[in-house]
Amino acid sequence: MQHLQDYRRLALTEQIQLIMSKVQVSAWRLQLHTPLVHATTPMIRGVWGHALRQIDRSLYDLAFAGVNNTGQNLPRYILRPAPPDPLTAPALDWILFGINQSHEPALWRAWDKACAMGLGPDRVPFQIRKRRLLAPDNLPTAARAWSLPEVTWPLPDDPASTPCVLKCEVPVRLIKRKQLIAAPTFVDLITGAVRRIAALAGLPRSEAYADIMRAAKSVARRTLAEPWVGEDCQVVRWSAAQQKEVKLYGVTGAMALPNGPGSFWPLLAAAQWTHIGKGTVFGMGELRIYPLSR
């Protein structure tokens, strides 16, 4: 990580770009065959994690509970449903952050073992029919890894000034003073995105970090954003540690940016991959960007 004082010599946009450049991504789309089982993402995640723990405990610890410079657990992957597509369904996006490619053979052995272990009460085996690498534009690629500044803006025209809608179609859990934010503001979304990417980049919670957060909040307050429109929602997951179902509460909804996102567009584009808030490892906090139509 570049010396923290160097961040203070850069403009906010450059600071965020520098942080993003420290996050290496490998993304895969897994097309599945799960006969006789209504397979959910938490179910598949659970069996893959169990298999990886048996194959390589240290790699399991890195992927599922990797400790960053803040001393907090920071899982290094996301497993989420792929966008609906009748030709590829069912399919998952498996996204890795900062995991060395030398670990890939063990990770794939864990998938092979998970397929054999099976799903559901009857442990029905499943298959990965096809796997393909994804590029920053969500299209197939041959590249093994890329960094967050390579992520493309999903809409035509100038990203900074094109009106758009930020939408969370799966629940997002943004916490403030230990309380769920029921109606996030644009400042809340930007704060969540900066915090998430800074953690993945290994940026310590320092005075320089605090300066970046203050500057980001200040610019976000001056960005025209319409009020959040949404509702409360919850995700139920199975906790192997607690041997019971656990409910995670969040909110779904959308926010319009009539004048575009300004200089925050690279950060928001990256958040499509990194997600924001709590529970990202379960696919929560996925941010999607749509054109604004009146």
Side-chain angles (χ1 to χ4, degrees):
M1 176 62 67
Q2 185 167 340
H3 194 280
L4 293 176
Q5 296 302 322
D6 292 347
Y7 283 89
R8 295 183 172 181
R9 304 188 183 102
L10 302 174
L12 175 62
T13 303
E14 295 171 318
Q15 290 174 335
I16 292 175
Q17 287 277 9
L18 180 57
I19 295 171
M20 288 169 52
S21 70
K22 307 300 180 182
V23 183
Q24 293 293 307
V25 182
S26 295
W28 298 81
R29 181 151 297 162
L30 310 180
Q31 298 178 27
L32 306 178
H33 178 54
T34 57
L36 306 177
V37 178
H38 176 64
T40 65
T41 303
M43 184 188 299
I44 295 172
R45 171 191 174 274
V47 70
W48 173 65
H50 186 56
L52 181 60
R53 187 185 180 110
Q54 292 182 359
I55 288 175
D56 189 330
R57 178 56 191 268
S58 62
L59 182 54
Y60 170 87
D61 290 341
L62 174 64
F64 277 73
V67 177
N68 65 2
N69 288 356
T70 67
Q72 299 174 332
N73 287 347
L74 183 73
R76 292 283 172 178
Y77 77 97
I78 288 174
L79 195 64
R80 69 186 186 189
D85 184 344
L87 297 178
T88 62
L92 297 174
D93 286 347
W94 179 44
I95 309 167
L96 304 173
F97 302 103
I99 293 184
N100 195 291
Q101 292 179 17
S102 65
H103 293 311
E104 279 192 10
L107 294 171
W108 286 115
R109 285 200 304 274
W111 276 114
D112 292 339
K113 185 177 181 67
C115 289
M117 291 169 66
L119 301 170
D122 297 327
R123 290 298 176 186
V124 180
F126 67 102
Q127 295 177 328
I128 297 177
R129 297 184 290 119
K130 186 177 181 179
R131 66 188 193 191
R132 63 179 185 179
L133 282 160
L134 295 178
D137 58 2
N138 217 30
L139 295 176
T141 181
R144 308 299 290 183
W146 38 269
S147 62
L148 287 180
E150 298 176 62
V151 177
T152 56
W153 185 249
L155 307 180
D157 301 322
D158 178 21
S161 60
T162 300
C164 64
V165 174
L166 307 179
K167 195 169 186 179
C168 290
E169 297 169 331
V170 295
V172 58
R173 283 173 52 81
L174 293 171
I175 307 298
K176 187 174 184 179
R177 299 187 182 93
K178 299 183 179 181
Q179 297 292 321
L180 177 70
I181 300 176
T185 66
F186 186 62
V187 174
D188 294 325
L189 295 181
I190 291 301
T191 300
V194 172
R195 182 177 292 123
R196 169 72 169 156
I197 291 172
L200 290 172
L203 183 66
R205 295 291 181 88
S206 61
E207 190 174 343
Y209 173 89
D211 288 346
I212 293 171
M213 291 298 293
R214 279 193 293 268
K217 290 179 181 179
S218 177
V219 175
R221 291 189 188 99
R222 300 194 299 270
T223 302
L224 179 61
E226 295 183 358
W228 176 268
V229 178
E231 60 186 6
D232 296 343
C233 196
Q234 69 180 27
V235 170
V236 178
R237 71 173 182 89
W238 175 259
S239 171
Q242 301 179 54
Q243 287 297 299
K244 66 177 183 180
E245 289 186 337
V246 177
K247 294 180 179 179
L248 298 176
Y249 293 92
V251 294
T252 57
M255 172 188 300
L257 303 177
N259 295 337
S263 60
F264 287 121
W265 74 262
L267 179 70
L268 294 172
Q272 298 175 107
W273 291 96
T274 63
H275 297 204
I276 60 175
K278 302 291 186 179
T280 54
V281 73
F282 308 113
M284 300 182 74
E286 181 180 3
L287 189 68
R288 297 198 174 207
I289 301 166
Y290 295 100
L292 176 60
S293 59
R294 295 296 185 183

